[in-house]
Amino acid sequence: MAVRRRIETIVILNIGALTAVLLAVLGALSYFNVYNYTIQNAYELVNFAIDQTDVKLTMTFEELERLARSLASYDEVRASNFERLDRLFYWTVHERSQVLRSVFLGTEDGTFFFRGYGTGFVNGYASMPERYDPRTKYWYETAKRGQAFTVTDVGQLDTISAIGIMGVMPVFDEARSLVGVLGVDMTLDKIQNIIQTIDLPNEGKGMLLSSQGGVIASQFSRAVPELTSELARADIDELGLLLAEKQGQRIVSIGGERHFAAYRRNFMTGMFILAAMPYDLSMASAVATLRVLAGSFVAFLAVLVLTVTLLIRRTLKPIRPLMSAIDQMHDGDFTARADVRSNDEIGVLAENFNEMARSIEDQNRRIIEYSSDLERKVHERTAELEEKNEVLLRDLAMAQRIQLAIIPNDDSLPDRPEFEMAARYQAMENLGGDLYDVLRLGRNVYGFLIADVSGHGVPAALITTMAKASFQSHSRHGLSTGAILTEINDEVYRFIGDLEHYLSAFLCVLDLETGDLMYTNAGHHAGLLRRGADGAIISLDTQGYFIGSFEDGGYETRHARLEPGDRVVLFTDGFIEARNHAGDFYEHSRFVDFVRDRAELSPQAFVEALSLDVERFSGDAPQNDDRAVLVFDFKARATSTGGDGREDLPSEAVGQARQAPVDAALGSFRDRYMKAIALLRAGEHDAAVRAFSSLKADRPEDLRVANNLGVAYYQSGQIDKAWEVFQSVLERSPSDPTALKNVSFIEKARSGFIEAD
């Protein structure tokens, strides 16, 4: 046996893999720690720069606010004394020229007075547009609405052609009437110095933006010109998202390069402060540290694998003789032994292997001897089983011939001018459980039977044989179909009442002279009557249980009048329960449609077309049940010749049994029980319910009485109460065959498709 991979290789690979995994985990943890520390440090630095810049910016504008409030308190300002304001405004700007650009006052009467210093001003003056009305300017309206000192957004200054920022506040006289709006302004270069004080490592820089994203001051580019009319928009990806927030931190792209950035909106001015450090430069130290760690891990792994390899090879050297012996044993040499001289676990393993090898050698010899004897016995037993199987096959073939012999074929069916009939039987297996038969009961009276035994194979075939014999024995002219099935049930129950088998049956008797069709259904699919006059389909159904399901059962008898052109179809469930490969059923509704739509076919052509239609529906799906169908067309009434022994059909099957309700207090229990049975057979269902209820009250433990009470309830139309009675029987005796069959019958009755005519 070739060794696919040596133990030392497996051990070395496993240890190396485990070590590599551990080192990878340590490396990953180290990477994340260094990475997170670098990011956290970068954000701390830019946030610190933001804090300092925010304080400086706030202090600058607070100073402007104090100046504005101080000027607004002067009487000259409240009185709009422009002669005295000239000197006050000019020296105020001159002394604070590092911050201020101009001081101005707009009044409610439309007068505008200002003084400035620096570029754009000559001796404190600058040219103004004609008819300049300060009341129409946005800064004037802003101050009036705010009612306090307010910093305007960055915009075009009125005094000179430059972009600037204004601080304005309303001025009131002693009566709190609005005099006008006092303002101070500063150009962008005045706050450039604030941004230039930002000092960050790794080439970090700062920026001050307007609320619209315009660059007011920036370390990323040259200073904003002193005289300019428009701000350049900051080159920042997703700038709109930043401006929508009050403050935050994230990685952003500035000028196409990634940066760690922190940003905040100054609460006093609404300006946006941003500080950022280049991502790549900030992460450079982290990358260098990670490279050193990775090199150390790789070197450690190489030394560890080399050391483990040397130790394992030395430890596993004694295993090689053992492996050689195992290979010989695998090749069929059971005399192989392992020559290992060692006092450790490997030596013990070799000693145990040698002992096992000696045992295997001895067992192999015994197996060879036993195999030769077993092969001979198997050959003899196989020949014996084949002989018995041939006998069984011959017996089954004979049983099949016998069953086919008891089912009428086309040649043995009655041939009368008054009706035409045809039948077909197709067993699922060699032996089936379906049956049909036709019996002459008088000169012009015929009985038709179709039955279906539960199950398949030999047991079902034996029961069909018994059922045919019982049908021929008990079918007599003068008895109703209900009475005939009652006698058949009593006889069949004596033989199979304690078994799990039963049969459903439909029996009808046709009087050719009158066209009267008497019928009874014993748990079978209702027969179908197709009227020749209008094509209507009538369900021929009565109340009645399976044959052999319980003792002393009663069966209802009904009548239908046939007219020439009418067709009667009797069938078993093998047709409507046929399935195709998709699992769909042929279904009762399709069967009814076929009967309705094929009226033009003769009975023989009808059964052939029906079989073909079911086979086409099923396709290659195997047949899942026996199939039997019996069809006859009523063509004309027979002429009565008299003296043939035919008796009139009785209007009541057991008319002598009709009597008043049983008095539960009279007679012995047996007499009362037989009277209750007579009421049930006579169709006195309500009286039978009262009689069996009285018997059940006297003997609640008698399951036979309970079962018959359930039957009486069912035949009186009280199906739910019948169901409750049968369930109570099953609670006391879960395996009671009569109750089980009755429950099954009720379930089947509840799923009926066509109501009786």
Side-chain angles (χ1 to χ4, degrees):
M1 179 177 62
V3 179
R4 296 182 178 179
R5 185 178 294 175
R6 299 175 63 181
I7 293 179
E8 62 182 67
T9 303
I10 296 174
V11 174
I12 292 171
L13 290 176
N14 287 336
I15 293 178
L18 178 60
T19 305
V21 171
L22 292 176
L23 292 178
V25 172
L26 291 175
L29 293 175
S30 301
Y31 169 80
F32 285 116
N33 286 334
V34 173
Y35 179 80
N36 290 332
Y37 172 78
T38 302
I39 293 176
Q40 182 179 359
N41 184 60
Y43 281 131
E44 287 178 354
L45 290 173
V46 294
N47 275 294
F48 180 73
I50 288 292
D51 292 339
Q52 289 184 322
T53 305
D54 190 38
V55 171
K56 292 177 182 179
L57 189 62
T58 301
M59 290 176 62
T60 298
F61 282 93
E62 285 178 346
E63 182 181 352
L64 289 180
E65 182 180 2
R66 287 192 295 272
L67 175 61
R69 291 185 181 278
S70 175
L71 291 173
S73 65
Y74 279 85
D75 293 336
E76 291 86 347
V77 174
R78 294 178 178 177
S80 301
N81 189 337
F82 297 122
E83 292 180 0
R84 302 189 64 177
L85 288 179
D86 182 75
R87 183 177 180 82
L88 176 63
F89 281 8
Y90 179 78
W91 286 108
T92 299
V93 176
H94 186 271
E95 290 176 359
R96 295 172 176 80
S97 60
Q98 292 183 348
V99 177
L100 291 182
R101 177 58 62 188
S102 67
V103 179
F104 54 89
L105 175 66
T107 65
E108 277 291 280
D109 60 5
T111 305
F112 181 70
F113 181 79
F114 71 96
R115 287 293 180 265
Y117 185 84
T119 305
F121 292 92
V122 178
N123 296 325
Y125 293 97
S127 61
M128 295 294 295
E130 294 183 4
R131 298 181 181 177
Y132 178 83
D133 188 350
R135 295 172 298 181
T136 63
K137 303 303 178 181
Y138 77 95
W139 54 266
Y140 195 93
E141 292 297 328
T142 300
K144 288 178 63 176
R145 288 195 303 270
Q147 295 292 309
F149 182 80
T150 305
V151 179
T152 66
D153 200 0
V154 178
Q156 178 71 41
L157 298 178
D158 292 335
T159 55
I160 60 174
S161 179
I163 297 294
I165 304 170
M166 302 180 194
V168 295
M169 64 177 295
V171 178
F172 300 95
D173 59 16
E174 294 180 355
R176 294 304 297 171
S177 297
L178 180 66
V179 175
V181 173
L182 174 71
V184 293
D185 66 47
M186 57 190 301
T187 53
L188 304 186
D189 59 324
K190 300 303 180 182
I191 59 175
Q192 181 74 27
N193 294 333
I194 298 175
I195 297 301
Q196 294 300 331
T197 60
I198 295 177
D199 184 18
L200 289 170
N202 297 325
E203 300 182 9
K205 299 177 183 179
M207 183 183 299
L208 184 64
L209 306 176
S210 69
S211 61
Q212 303 301 318
V215 179
I216 299 174
S218 174
Q219 292 178 317
F220 287 88
S221 59
R222 61 184 178 84
V224 179
E226 184 176 2
L227 297 179
T228 183
S229 60
E230 185 177 358
L231 295 178
R233 188 170 179 82
D235 185 11
I236 302 176
D237 289 350
E238 299 181 348
L239 178 60
L241 296 179
L242 271 64
L243 296 176
E245 300 177 356
K246 292 184 179 180
Q247 65 178 16
Q249 61 183 31
R250 65 172 67 185
I251 296 175
V252 299
S253 176
I254 303 177
E257 182 181 358
R258 290 192 301 168
H259 287 72
F260 292 109
Y263 45 90
R264 182 183 303 166
R265 187 181 300 277
N266 181 265
F267 78 95
M268 189 171 185
T269 65
M271 299 178 191
F272 207 77
I273 308 170
L274 181 142
M277 294 171 56
Y279 180 90
D280 293 337
L281 290 178
S282 301
M283 297 299 295
S285 60
V287 173
T289 302
L290 292 174
R291 288 176 179 172
V292 173
L293 289 175
S296 301
F297 289 159
V298 172
F300 176 76
L301 178 61
V303 173
L304 179 63
V305 171
L306 179 61
T307 303
V308 171
T309 300
L310 295 176
L311 291 176
I312 290 177
R313 286 183 176 179
R314 181 177 179 182
T315 303
L316 298 181
K317 184 177 180 180
I319 293 182
R320 293 174 182 171
L322 180 60
M323 289 298 302
S324 177
I326 292 175
D327 288 340
Q328 296 178 45
M329 182 77 71
H330 176 267
D331 294 336
D333 183 6
F334 298 108
T335 63
R337 302 293 183 268
D339 184 14
V340 177
R341 295 179 177 83
S342 176
N343 295 325
D344 55 13
E345 289 85 352
I346 297 178
V348 175
L349 179 63
E351 183 178 348
N352 290 335
F353 171 79
N354 292 335
E355 182 65 27
M356 180 185 67
R358 285 189 287 270
S359 175
I360 291 176
E361 183 181 9
D362 182 60
Q363 292 179 10
N364 182 64
R365 176 181 54 79
R366 295 180 181 178
I367 289 173
I368 293 175
E369 295 175 355
Y370 178 77
S371 295
S372 345
D373 183 61
L374 180 61
E375 185 177 354
R376 177 183 56 81
K377 291 182 178 179
V378 168
H379 180 74
E380 293 176 354
R381 183 59 176 167
T382 301
E384 181 181 352
L385 290 176
E386 289 178 351
E387 182 179 356
K388 291 182 178 180
N389 188 53
E390 290 178 0
V391 173
L392 178 60
L393 291 176
R394 286 196 299 269
D395 291 344
L396 287 176
M398 179 60 70
Q400 184 180 18
R401 291 181 59 186
I402 294 174
Q403 185 182 35
L404 292 177
I406 68 172
I407 297 177
N409 55 31
D410 293 340
D411 295 335
S412 61
L413 293 175
D415 184 12
R416 293 287 300 261
E418 294 83 5
F419 69 90
E420 180 182 0
M421 67 178 306
R424 173 161 294 193
Y425 172 70
Q426 182 179 355
M428 183 184 74
E429 299 173 352
N430 291 335
L431 297 175
D434 286 2
L435 169 70
Y436 67 83
D437 201 4
V438 181
L439 187 65
R440 185 174 183 179
L441 303 181
R443 174 169 299 180
N444 292 319
V445 180
Y446 288 85
F448 303 89
L449 172 72
I450 193 162
D452 184 0
V453 179
S454 61
H456 308 283
V458 174
L462 292 175
I463 294 175
T464 58
T465 304
M466 178 179 61
K468 177 181 176 68
S470 181
F471 170 64
Q472 293 185 343
S473 172
H474 295 285
S475 295
R476 302 185 298 276
H477 183 58
L479 287 181
S480 68
T481 52
I484 294 174
L485 288 182
T486 298
E487 294 183 2
I488 294 176
N489 174 73
D490 293 342
E491 183 175 67
V492 172
Y493 183 81
R494 288 196 300 271
F495 292 99
I496 67 172
D498 57 343
L499 302 178
E500 296 181 354
H501 289 278
Y502 56 88
L503 68 144
S504 64
F506 186 93
L507 174 65
C508 61
V509 174
L510 175 62
D511 188 331
L512 295 179
E513 295 181 8
T514 64
D516 182 81
L517 182 71
M518 178 173 51
Y519 59 91
T520 297
N521 187 7
H524 196 76
H525 287 285
L528 299 179
L529 168 59
R530 185 192 184 281
R531 293 296 188 185
D534 55 7
I537 299 295
I538 299 173
S539 175
L540 305 176
D541 200 7
T542 64
Q543 294 181 351
Y545 280 81
F546 300 117
I547 301 296
S549 62
F550 64 92
E551 187 179 9
D552 299 328
Y555 295 91
E556 180 184 9
T557 300
R558 291 186 179 181
H559 296 266
R561 183 72 63 181
L562 298 189
E563 300 295 338
D566 290 348
R567 169 173 290 175
V568 176
V569 180
L570 310 181
F571 60 96
T572 61
D573 56 10
F575 285 96
I576 62 175
E577 294 180 2
R579 291 189 175 190
N580 56 21
H581 279 295
D584 301 324
F585 288 101
Y586 187 83
E587 294 187 348
H588 189 273
S589 59
R590 179 168 178 163
F591 188 90
V592 172
D593 291 340
F594 190 91
V595 173
R596 181 186 296 109
D597 299 338
R598 299 299 193 280
E600 77 283 356
L601 299 178
S602 66
Q604 185 63 40
F606 175 85
V607 297
E608 293 176 356
L610 175 63
S611 299
L612 181 61
D613 189 60
V614 173
E615 291 173 0
R616 287 175 178 172
F617 170 81
S618 301
D620 296 333
Q623 183 177 341
N624 59 350
D625 199 358
D626 303 327
R627 299 171 187 167
V629 60
L630 177 63
V631 181
F632 60 88
D633 289 352
F634 184 64
K635 293 187 173 184
R637 290 185 174 85
T639 302
S640 175
T641 57
D644 59 353
R646 181 179 64 81
E647 302 173 5
D648 292 337
L649 291 173
S651 59
E652 296 178 336
V654 285
Q656 298 300 323
R658 296 185 181 271
Q659 55 185 285
V662 176
D663 185 354
L666 299 177
S668 66
F669 179 84
R670 177 175 176 81
D671 291 340
R672 291 161 57 201
Y673 178 79
M674 294 307 298
K675 290 179 180 179
I677 291 295
L679 290 172
L680 185 63
R681 291 182 176 178
E684 296 286 350
H685 304 140
D686 294 337
V689 167
R690 292 192 295 271
F692 281 117
S693 297
S694 176
L695 291 169
K696 187 174 183 297
D698 293 343
R699 292 188 182 181
E701 75 284 353
D702 194 324
L703 299 183
R704 181 183 58 175
V705 172
N707 276 319
N708 281 319
L709 175 59
V711 174
Y713 272 131
Y714 177 81
Q715 292 188 352
S716 67
Q718 303 179 64
I719 297 178
D720 291 338
K721 288 189 176 181
W723 177 270
E724 293 176 0
V725 171
F726 293 140
Q727 289 295 336
S728 67
V729 173
L730 292 177
E731 289 177 359
R732 287 183 289 170
S733 178
S735 60
D736 184 272
T738 301
L740 288 171
K741 294 173 184 177
N742 289 338
V743 167
S744 175
F745 177 81
I746 290 180
E747 291 176 346
K748 183 176 180 181
R750 283 175 169 174
S751 63
F753 290 96
I754 303 178
E755 297 295 334
D757 181 42

